[in-house]
């Protein structure tokens, strides 16, 4: 299948799944925050999810991404070894996740005492199921990505998202409270994993002839390549979770709720870039393996231009929409999330750029370099959080995230530029053009805000985002429509 068609198929499936995930998460957030849980309960739930997210690192290490890389490689040069890649890695992953999950469940009272949050103990008792099924979901998504079947990855993630809403809300309504909400996450993951394993075996695994003998050193190479990926994944999870945990320790669950809402809204905004990055990342390595570096470079350049055109206006729009959105979607008791969301608007832009950059480095064989950078910025983020949270509260945590993630993204761009013959002139012109239009129109909308209020303000600012994007494309003249359609349609 031509590369453009493969990108199109994968992007549609991934973007569709991410949209479903966003809608499901949005519905779950609003229902839990506004109707079913108090701010303290809501914060406690996501503090538990942050702790479990960190612990899950030990249940997966870097195996999922390492396996995806070797599946991509062996599917091209020696397909009969692919079944060995899958079965060997799956056995290792199951052992890791079972041991890790058991330790979390048994040690839940001790972890709750360590974090000085007694309410965490009952939530972390569900750690075995969460760690096991979350590890398997991550593994399946990455394995399907390695097979260039991101439509299957999309299906697994969609089932997890929808199941999470159905079971979490259902268990809370049945009277199980915040523990029931976390149990809903676990059951949703189980359903997604069950379907994913069936797809992997019947639709993918059985299509490959299995070599009688496993290639010497195959498992060792998979494990060795997973080491830097473990560092990257671990640093990434810490980077995303440690701020939430520190807020819970240094402040209170309500502050965790404010920060979580800011993070969740910013995560929603990154959906298109996440879908694009997940789809094209394996193709960087694939094109490089066939000595088509310039084609891989052009793919990255076009992706970067489209991301800039979409997300530069998003920064301005998110700053303007933060107050009315939080007030009318989540409720006035969550207005503490407004400054967090405004600061994180910059994180949205940086993260969108990183989504099309960082994962590609793993497929280009630069996982070690990425791991070093990610580890350094994760440590820096931890230190900045310790300094800024006592002084600035949740806004300090948001600022630390923006600073460290910006450094991480810039270094990743430098690394990928050493692997591919990239040209950034067009991207710079795109940024200047659409940035100027966004600021001018944003200033106009800001001057009009005092004259409107309530839901009208929210609707007006959303429409502003659409207008800015359209004007940026039209006035800057930087988007080649035909190329965009070939890449994204």
């Amino acid at each position: 299948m031509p590369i453009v068609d493969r990108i199109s198929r994968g992007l549609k499936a991934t973007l569709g799944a991410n949209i479903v995930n966003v809608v499901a998460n949005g519905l779950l957030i609003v229902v839990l925050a506004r109707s079913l849980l108090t701010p303290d309960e809501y914060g406690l739930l996501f503090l538990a999810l942050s702790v479990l997210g960190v612990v899950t690192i030990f249940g997966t290490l870097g195996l999922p991404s390492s396996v995806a890389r070797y599946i991509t490689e062996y599917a091209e040069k020696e397909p009969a070894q692919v079944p060995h890649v899958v079965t060997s890695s799956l056995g290792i992953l199951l052992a890791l996740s079972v041991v890790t999950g058991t330790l979390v469940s048994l040690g839940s009272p001790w972890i709750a005492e360590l974090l000085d949050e007694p309410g965490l103990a009952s939530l972390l008792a569900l750690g075995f199921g969460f760690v096991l099924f979350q590890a398997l979901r991550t593994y399946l998504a990455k394995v399907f990505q390695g097979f260039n079947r991101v439509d299957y990855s999309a299906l697994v993630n969609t089932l997890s998202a929808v199941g999470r809403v159905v079971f979490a809300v259902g268990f809370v309504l049945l009277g199980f409270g915040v523990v029931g909400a976390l149990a809903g996450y676990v059951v949703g993951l189980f359903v997604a994993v069950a379907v994913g394993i069936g797809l992997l075996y019947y639709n993918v695994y059985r299509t490959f002839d299995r070599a009688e003998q496993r290639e010497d050193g195959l498992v060792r190479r998979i494990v060795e390549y997973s080491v830097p990926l473990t560092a990257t994944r671990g640093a990434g999870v810490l980077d995303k979770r440690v701020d939430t945990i520190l807020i819970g320790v240094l402040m209170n669950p309500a502050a965790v709720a404010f920060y979580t809402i800011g993070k969740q809204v910013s995560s929603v905004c990154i959906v298109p870039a996440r879908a694009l990055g997940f789809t094209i990342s394996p193709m960087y390595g694939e094109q490089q393996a066939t000595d088509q570096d310039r084609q891989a470079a052009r793919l990255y350049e076009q992706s970067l231009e489209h991301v800039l055109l979409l997300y530069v206006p998003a920064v301005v729009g998110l700053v303007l929409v933060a107050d009315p959105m939080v007030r009318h979607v989540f409720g006035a008791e969550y207005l503490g999330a407004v400054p967090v969301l405004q600061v994180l608007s910059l994180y949205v832009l940086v993260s969108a750029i990183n989504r099309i950059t960082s994962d590609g480095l793993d497929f280009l064989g630069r996982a070690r370099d990425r791991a070093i950078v990610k580890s350094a910025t994760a440590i820096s983020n931890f230190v900045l959080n310790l300094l800024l949270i006592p002084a600035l509260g949740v806004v300090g945590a948001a600022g630390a995230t923006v600073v460290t993630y910006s450094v991480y993204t810039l270094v990743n761009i430098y690394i990928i530029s050493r692997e591919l013959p990239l040209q950034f002139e067009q991207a710079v012109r795109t940024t200047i053009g659409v940035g100027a239009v966004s600021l001018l129109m944003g200033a106009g909308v800001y001057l009009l805000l005092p004259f409107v209020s309530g839901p009208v303000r929210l609707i007006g600012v959303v429409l502003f985002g659409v207008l800015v994007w359209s004007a940026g494309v039209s006035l800057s003249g930087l988007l080649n429509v035909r190329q965009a359609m070939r890449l994204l349609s």
Side-chain angles (χ1 to χ4, degrees), residues 129-151:
F130 185 92
V131 170
L132 174 61
F133 297 126
Q134 177 71 350
L136 287 170
R137 187 203 63 80
T138 302
Y139 175 85
L140 289 167
K142 282 292 185 180
V143 165
F144 287 138
Q145 184 189 27
F147 281 116
N148 270 314
R149 292 307 307 263
V150 294
D151 51 334

Side-chain angles (χ1 to χ4, degrees), residues 23 86 105 123 153 168 175 182 185 192 246 280 288 299 312 338 342 363 381 385 389 418 449 461 466:
V23 173
V86 173
S105 291
L123 294 172
S153 299
L182 184 57
Y185 276 73
L246 287 176
I280 65 176
Q288 189 186 57
L299 178 62
V312 171
V338 171
Q342 290 173 328
F363 290 92
N381 186 46
N385 272 285
I389 290 175
R418 305 296 295 176
L449 286 179
V461 177
V466 178

Side-chain angles (χ1 to χ4, degrees), residues 328-405:
H328 298 291
V329 175
F330 299 100
E333 62 270 28
Y334 289 95
L335 284 176
V338 171
V340 175
L341 184 54
Q342 290 173 328
V343 173
L344 289 176
S345 64
L346 293 172
Y347 166 78
V348 169
L349 173 61
V350 175
S351 182
I353 296 172
N354 193 60
R355 288 289 178 176
I356 62 167
T357 307
S358 59
D359 284 351
L361 296 177
D362 296 342
F363 290 92
L364 291 170
R366 298 299 294 266
R368 179 177 178 275
D369 301 291
R370 182 188 172 204
I372 293 171
V373 177
K374 188 61 178 177
S375 299
T377 53
I379 294 171
S380 301
N381 186 46
F382 177 78
V383 174
L384 275 178
N385 272 285
L386 285 178
L387 295 174
L388 296 180
I389 290 175
L392 302 175
V394 289
V395 175
T401 297
V402 171
V403 171
T404 55
Y405 210 81

Side-chain angles (χ1 to χ4, degrees), residues 39-44 47 117 247-248 251-258:
D40 282 343
E41 290 174 329
Y42 187 80
L44 190 64
L47 178 58
E117 285 291 345
I247 290 170
M251 298 183 70
N252 51 67
V256 173
F258 299 151

Side-chain angles (χ1 to χ4, degrees), residues 379-458:
I379 294 171
S380 301
N381 186 46
F382 177 78
V383 174
L384 275 178
N385 272 285
L386 285 178
L387 295 174
L388 296 180
I389 290 175
L392 302 175
V394 289
V395 175
T401 297
V402 171
V403 171
T404 55
Y405 210 81
S406 296
V407 173
Y408 173 58
T409 300
L410 288 172
V411 176
N412 280 340
I413 292 173
Y414 171 77
I415 295 173
I416 201 170
S417 72
R418 305 296 295 176
E419 286 292 319
L420 303 175
L422 299 176
Q423 298 174 2
F424 292 105
E425 293 82 357
Q426 187 70 17
V428 172
R429 289 194 291 270
T430 299
T431 305
I432 294 172
V434 76
V437 172
S438 301
L439 290 174
L440 286 173
M441 296 188 70
V445 172
Y446 179 77
L447 294 175
L448 293 174
L449 286 179
F451 301 100
V452 294
S453 60
V456 175
R457 177 183 292 189
L458 177 59

Side-chain angles (χ1 to χ4, degrees), residues 57-63 91-101 131 135:
I57 298 169
F58 301 100
T60 60
L61 300 181
L63 276 174
I92 297 172
L93 184 105
L94 284 172
L96 288 171
S97 57
V98 167
V99 171
T100 303
V131 170

Side-chain angles (χ1 to χ4, degrees), residues 49-136:
L49 288 171
S50 294
V51 173
L52 291 172
V54 172
V55 171
T56 304
I57 298 169
F58 301 100
T60 60
L61 300 181
L63 276 174
S65 295
S66 179
V67 172
R69 185 261 173 118
Y70 278 96
I71 286 174
T72 300
E73 179 180 326
Y74 277 93
E76 292 291 328
K77 69 177 188 180
E78 201 169 344
Q81 288 295 325
V82 169
H84 290 294
V85 173
V86 173
T87 55
S88 300
S89 60
L90 183 57
I92 297 172
L93 184 105
L94 284 172
L96 288 171
S97 57
V98 167
V99 171
T100 303
T102 301
L103 291 175
V104 173
S105 291
L106 294 177
S108 56
W110 178 80
I111 298 172
E113 183 179 352
L114 179 66
L115 296 178
D116 195 25
E117 285 291 345
L120 277 177
S122 57
L123 294 172
L124 297 181
L126 299 173
F128 176 82
F130 185 92
V131 170
L132 174 61
F133 297 126
Q134 177 71 350
L136 287 170

